[in-house]
Amino acid sequence: MLSPRRSELRLRVADRGQTPLRPLRLLFIDFKLPYLLRDSEYAAGGWATQLTGWIAGLAHLGHSVGVLTWKGANAHVGFYADCELVETYDPSRGIRFVKYFASYIPSLLAAARRFAPDVLIQANAGMSTGIMAFIAQRLRRPFVFRVSNDIDVDERCRDHLLGYERLAYRYGLGRASAYLCQNAYQLSRLAETRPRNLLHIIHNPYRIPDSLPDLRPRAERRYVAWLAAMRPFKNLPLLARIASALPDIPFRVAGMPDCTLDPASLAALEILRDLPNAEMLGHVRRGDVPGFLSRAAMLLSTSNYEGFSNTFLESFAAGTPVIARTIVDPDSVIRDRALGLTTPDEDSLASSVLELWKMDVPRFDVLAERCRTYVTANHSPTAKAEELIRIIAPLVAQHA
């Protein structure tokens, strides 16, 4: 027999279109979020950025959010009101692989049990997918997987995961109660092996920062911006070719090199450092990103793949259009909503940059306004959190 609390919850979420009256307790996992919250000189990655938007929206709706993370995170971050940083273990200690079973998993399970979540959510393919699915099974709670990149759902996943990580990922995928996709490509690939009724497309939330300046006129936008953690798939060689082909256009490149950079990417970095029209800025703190993008005429993406790039949303919010290849334009929003320019191949990216650079001022001003309006209307953290709760509430009721 169901307890009064749980039977009441089941009645209140019987209609999938309604948000439950009782606030839910949602538990995520991320070991990079504390660095982002502290605005440390550390490449936190796209999921940590996205997670801040989910946290803000869920907190605004009155739900409780916990994030499993490393021991000492609260002291590192200081006060943070929107969620509870649930400390677990010190990731710098222990023997590789053995430590998962000796300390990591027991510590995560104990911390999750103390938080007492209604649902567990994890993003990024890897070991944590299997661990969170296992913890959810032990706690008898639903597990939800958030796809954070296109390569998580196709054959490219094998290239960046070790053998035991692939096993853990497959285990976790097989035990998910729902899959949250960023775009139609991700949904279509998962639909080949997963029940379609468990698949949902829900775009990233974006919390517009208080420090975001008013839309700058074209005359104050003096360069092409490139912003990313410098990893092989960000395609630095393509950036170097474009900057070299457009010597009269200033480029400002923001980001720190990753330890996985291949020889071609390292060579491209050297070329960029020697170009007179390219300025290498290194790491740009999160608080400085809005200003950096607002002073750019455009954001150039040279990536080989994405999911739904948070950097695109940051750029749109600054009124800065995006230049990218069609393979990284999520659900064709740049093309269909006219938020910049897209091209199917690498060779025409330079001409797209030149076209937008020479765009007349009235057309550019309309474009800048359209970019900001798009983010405000479509990526509100509160609206996206409401979408998330509408998906999760029936799962919680079923497990109750």
Side-chain angles (χ1 to χ4, degrees):
M1 181 176 179
L2 289 174
S3 66
R5 173 178 173 273
R6 292 186 174 180
S7 60
E8 179 186 20
L9 172 62
R10 175 168 288 183
L11 290 172
R12 290 181 177 182
V13 299
D15 182 352
R16 294 176 65 93
Q18 293 183 357
T19 300
L21 299 181
R22 180 181 70 83
L24 296 180
R25 295 179 64 80
L26 300 92
L27 184 61
F28 297 84
I29 181 170
D30 190 69
F31 277 60
K32 296 181 178 180
L33 179 66
Y35 298 108
L36 182 67
L37 296 178
R38 180 67 182 270
D39 206 356
S40 306
E41 192 166 324
Y42 182 91
W47 168 241
T49 303
Q50 184 186 157
L51 184 53
T52 60
W54 291 117
I55 291 170
L58 291 165
H60 182 76
L61 294 176
H63 300 286
S64 299
V65 179
V67 180
L68 294 170
T69 193
W70 43 275
K71 189 175 182 180
N74 284 288
H76 178 80
V77 173
F79 178 73
Y80 182 54
D82 286 348
C83 84
E84 178 182 344
L85 296 177
V86 184
E87 296 186 12
T88 56
Y89 57 84
D90 182 353
S92 65
R93 302 185 65 181
I95 303 172
R96 188 176 183 178
F97 187 72
V98 175
K99 60 190 177 185
Y100 285 114
F101 301 97
S103 60
Y104 285 16
I105 295 176
S107 175
L108 288 166
L109 177 59
R113 184 174 281 120
R114 288 194 301 271
F115 184 79
D118 292 303
V119 62
L120 292 86
I121 304 174
Q122 187 268 337
N124 294 323
M127 193 72 183
S128 292
T129 312
I131 291 175
M132 286 291 275
F134 170 75
I135 293 172
Q137 185 179 33
R138 292 295 299 271
L139 299 182
R140 298 182 181 180
R141 296 290 183 268
F143 167 63
V144 174
F145 178 67
R146 170 58 163 175
V147 185
S148 61
N149 199 303
D150 287 355
I151 65 171
D152 288 353
V153 296
D154 59 31
E155 60 280 351
R156 292 171 293 182
C157 186
R158 293 192 297 267
D159 297 334
H160 72 283
L161 293 179
L162 299 173
Y164 68 88
E165 292 173 328
R166 290 197 297 271
L167 288 174
Y169 178 47
R170 286 200 294 268
Y171 169 86
L173 274 187
R175 283 152 183 78
S177 299
Y179 306 85
L180 308 177
C181 304
Q182 292 177 307
N183 56 52
Y185 173 77
Q186 295 172 0
L187 187 144
S188 66
R189 291 306 301 260
L190 283 176
E192 297 173 5
T193 56
R194 309 295 165 187
R196 202 170 181 90
N197 65 308
L198 302 183
L199 304 175
H200 309 269
I201 293 179
I202 178 168
H203 291 157
N204 298 7
Y206 178 66
R207 184 179 188 177
I208 296 179
D210 296 334
S211 60
L212 188 69
D214 294 335
L215 289 178
R216 295 183 187 273
R218 177 63 181 87
E220 296 180 11
R221 295 172 177 267
R222 304 182 185 279
Y223 51 83
V224 175
W226 189 95
L227 173 65
M230 293 180 178
R231 295 169 181 156
F233 74 90
K234 296 296 184 179
N235 204 340
L236 285 165
L238 176 57
L239 173 62
R241 292 200 300 273
I242 294 172
S244 299
L246 301 170
D248 296 329
I249 297 179
F251 286 74
R252 292 194 180 176
V253 180
M256 295 291 289
D258 188 271
C259 61
T260 62
L261 277 186
D262 57 303
S265 298
L266 292 172
L269 271 179
E270 291 303 314
I271 293 173
L272 288 165
R273 291 188 180 107
D274 291 337
L275 288 177
N277 63 322
E279 183 178 353
M280 308 299 289
L281 303 180
H283 177 75
V284 174
R285 294 185 180 276
R286 300 305 307 175
D288 297 329
V289 167
F292 168 66
L293 291 172
S294 71
R295 291 186 291 271
M298 70 198 79
L299 172 73
L300 171 62
S301 170
T302 54
S303 292
N304 294 327
Y305 51 81
E306 295 283 353
F308 199 121
S309 173
N310 297 299
T311 309
F312 289 2
L313 297 178
E314 292 169 329
S315 187
F316 296 147
T320 304
V322 174
I323 301 287
R325 284 183 290 165
T326 53
I327 57 173
V328 297
D329 181 9
D331 291 343
S332 302
V333 296
I334 299 174
R335 183 197 66 190
D336 294 346
R337 296 176 181 265
L339 304 175
L341 297 174
T342 61
T343 176
D345 55 71
E346 294 184 358
D347 295 337
S348 52
L349 269 181
S351 59
S352 296
V353 170
L354 186 60
E355 178 184 347
L356 188 48
W357 184 261
K358 293 183 174 181
M359 181 179 288
D360 61 78
V361 172
R363 282 184 62 205
F364 184 90
D365 290 344
V366 172
L367 175 55
E369 183 65 42
R370 185 162 57 240
C371 287
R372 178 167 288 187
T373 300
Y374 165 76
V375 173
T376 305
N378 295 280
H379 294 272
S380 157
T382 302
K384 291 300 170 187
E386 287 175 341
E387 285 185 48
L388 181 64
I389 293 301
R390 283 196 294 271
I391 294 169
I392 287 175
L395 304 178
V396 174
Q398 291 165 13
H399 279 72

